[in-house]
Amino acid sequence: MNSALFFQSLLIGLSIAAPVGPIGLLTIQRTLDAGWRAGLATGLGAAAADTVYGAVGAFGATALIAWLVGAKLWLAVFGGLVLLRLAWSGWHQSAGGEASAAKAPVPSLWTCFATTFALTLSNPMTIVSFIAIFGAMSAQVAGGSPWVMVAGVLVGSALWWLVLSVGVGRLRHSFRPAWRRAINRASALLLAGFALWQWGGLLTPMLH
């Protein structure tokens, strides 16, 4: 029972991490700029946040779930501001040309981890996804250990970020500096777009 629950949870962690979104863009961008370790640290920040929400859902912390759902608006505002800050930084880093990009400070592994940990925790869709999925699996959790689910989510999410960062890292030196600048600028625009889309999705119901 526990082994089946573990692999189901692993697939949940993998499926939530795999779609290309702001965290995926940051992982690719940082891998290209600073190597696979920076990309992996970026992804592991998201995996850690996924694990936190996985634990909330697996252990059925109803009071905390209710608070998180009630705080969706403020979490989205915070997450959007972080995305806009990252977009601004990425755009201006790529705007300085090759010499400027070469001298640009590389974020520490801890910074890579912490930014995506906070960003993923502030994403309302992550909250809703785990509440819905683990609510549907509540009968299975009752027959097994919630820690097995938490471990499965962690392994599944971390596995995706490992594959992505190592894969992009192997191709890193195939990209010319001009291509990297173009990718940084495209990522900056997409990150800003994600921020505005996230805000718009929460504000639209309030305007009706």
Side-chain angles (χ1 to χ4, degrees), residues 53-66 131 134-135 138 141 146 149-150:
Y53 280 136
V56 171
F59 285 94
T62 54
L64 182 56
I65 289 172
I131 292 173
F134 284 167
S138 58
V141 179
M149 285 188 84
V150 174

Side-chain angles (χ1 to χ4, degrees), residues 11 14 18 26 86 98 137 151 159-160 170 203 207:
L11 291 175
L14 188 62
L26 281 174
L86 292 169
E98 295 181 21
M137 294 178 64
L159 181 62
W160 166 252
R170 287 184 177 274
L203 291 176
L207 299 176

Side-chain angles (χ1 to χ4, degrees), residues 29-30 33 82-95 104-105 107 184 188 191:
Q29 180 183 341
R30 286 174 173 172
D33 288 343
V82 173
L83 285 174
L84 289 176
R85 176 65 180 84
L86 292 169
W88 183 89
S89 177
W91 180 269
H92 285 275
Q93 179 177 338
S94 65
N184 280 344
L191 289 174

Side-chain angles (χ1 to χ4, degrees), residues 52-53 56 61-76 78 121-122 124 127 131:
V52 170
Y53 280 136
V56 171
T62 54
L64 182 56
I65 289 172
W67 182 85
L68 290 169
V69 172
K72 280 197 305 181
L73 177 61
W74 296 111
L75 290 171
F78 171 76
L121 281 181
S122 67
I127 302 168
I131 292 173

Side-chain angles (χ1 to χ4, degrees), residues 28-35 38 93 106-107 172 180-181 184:
I28 293 170
Q29 180 183 341
R30 286 174 173 172
T31 301
L32 291 175
D33 288 343
Q93 179 177 338
V106 176
R172 179 189 178 203
R180 293 189 191 182
R181 290 200 307 276
N184 280 344

